[in-house]
Amino acid sequence: MIRILLADDQALIRSGIRSLLEAEDDIEVVAEAADGRQAVILAAEHRPDIALMDIQMPVLDGLQATRQIVADKRLDGVRVVILTNFGLDEYIFRALRAGASGFLLKDTEPAELLQALRVITRGDSLLSPAVTRRLISEFVARPPDAVAAAGMESLTNREREVVALVAHGLSNDEIAAAMVVSPTTAKTHVSRAMIKLGARDRAQLVVFAYQAGLVTPRAAR
């Protein structure tokens, strides 16, 4: 079962999402939070697989709640998926750095939401195409970061190649095909790169790749 914590200050939205999720045989909603502080407390209590987190909430917003959940070593297994609106794009980059594993727009189709939760449970990260375009545009205005570039120097050439492919949105199977290696080998390269760079998941690898200039926005289109 995929265990979900819902965090949104609007009860109607929580009710609608709960109804959608609990209609699935492999998904269970274990708790609901009406603000970010409740989300942090309930995450520690229930240890869900995914915290589906709104950004605009009282007491503690979704960005602050994400940062606290990610910082808690007891909650290493909890993945945060942010629900966002176009008006909140300024939070995307900061939340990725805080450790969010995915972003979905609130107008995402139900089937896409369900698929996203399953993808993230498997250990992958997910950014909706619209959010990805806005994330890329963020890097257009930013020069390469010297610290991130130095971190990339700790990687082998093979690992840098893998990180670049992750930044282009390839799955482990697609990376394996592109590099002519087994999926297990591709996964190993990804894992080693994450460890060396201190990345929580693939979403943060994407951030580091852009920050370091390993991948450019133009090349990723």
Side-chain angles (χ1 to χ4, degrees):
M1 294 291 289
I2 302 173
R3 304 172 71 253
I4 305 292
L5 163 64
L6 296 179
D8 196 296
D9 62 333
Q10 297 185 47
L12 186 60
I13 290 180
R14 294 199 310 273
S15 177
I17 295 176
R18 174 186 279 273
S19 295
L20 170 68
L21 299 183
E22 293 196 332
E24 301 297 307
D25 293 336
D26 61 337
I27 298 177
E28 175 188 10
V29 176
V30 296
E32 293 185 22
D35 61 60
R37 189 177 303 283
Q38 283 186 342
V40 174
I41 293 171
L42 291 172
E45 179 180 346
H46 293 278
R47 310 288 177 88
D49 298 305
I50 294 175
L52 195 55
M53 186 88 65
D54 186 22
I55 286 184
Q56 285 189 319
M57 291 187 291
V59 186
L60 203 67
D61 66 29
L63 180 60
Q64 294 171 304
T66 296
R67 187 176 291 113
Q68 290 190 19
I69 289 172
V70 171
D72 191 333
K73 297 299 184 183
R74 299 170 300 170
L75 304 180
D76 280 346
V78 179
R79 294 292 178 260
V80 178
V81 178
I82 297 291
L83 289 174
T84 185
N85 291 312
F86 286 124
L88 299 172
D89 292 335
E90 67 271 17
Y91 289 110
I92 295 175
F93 180 78
R94 291 163 57 196
L96 271 177
R97 290 301 306 272
S101 295
F103 284 84
L104 293 169
L105 302 179
K106 284 195 172 180
D107 61 357
T108 296
E109 292 293 325
E112 293 178 7
L113 171 59
L114 295 172
Q115 176 62 17
L117 297 179
R118 293 177 176 120
V119 166
I120 291 172
T121 301
R122 292 199 300 267
D124 290 333
S125 59
L126 184 139
L127 304 176
S128 71
V131 170
T132 301
R133 285 194 295 272
R134 282 158 176 76
L135 180 63
I136 288 173
S137 71
E138 172 75 19
F139 290 101
V140 171
R142 291 172 179 259
D145 181 87
V147 174
M152 285 295 168
E153 293 179 359
S154 68
L155 304 183
T156 66
N157 290 336
R158 203 65 161 164
E159 288 165 351
R160 280 194 291 273
E161 181 182 355
V162 165
V163 172
L165 293 174
V166 170
H168 280 81
L170 274 65
S171 66
N172 285 343
D173 287 345
E174 291 169 333
I175 290 172
M179 297 178 65
V180 195
V181 297
S182 70
T184 300
T185 298
K187 183 177 181 179
T188 298
H189 284 314
V190 172
S191 297
R192 286 176 178 170
M194 288 171 56
I195 291 171
K196 288 183 179 181
L197 294 174
R200 177 178 169 87
D201 54 30
R202 297 167 74 98
Q204 287 196 308
L205 277 187
V206 175
V207 172
F208 293 150
Y210 281 111
Q211 281 188 304
L214 181 66
V215 176
T216 64
R218 183 180 299 276
R221 289 173 182 160

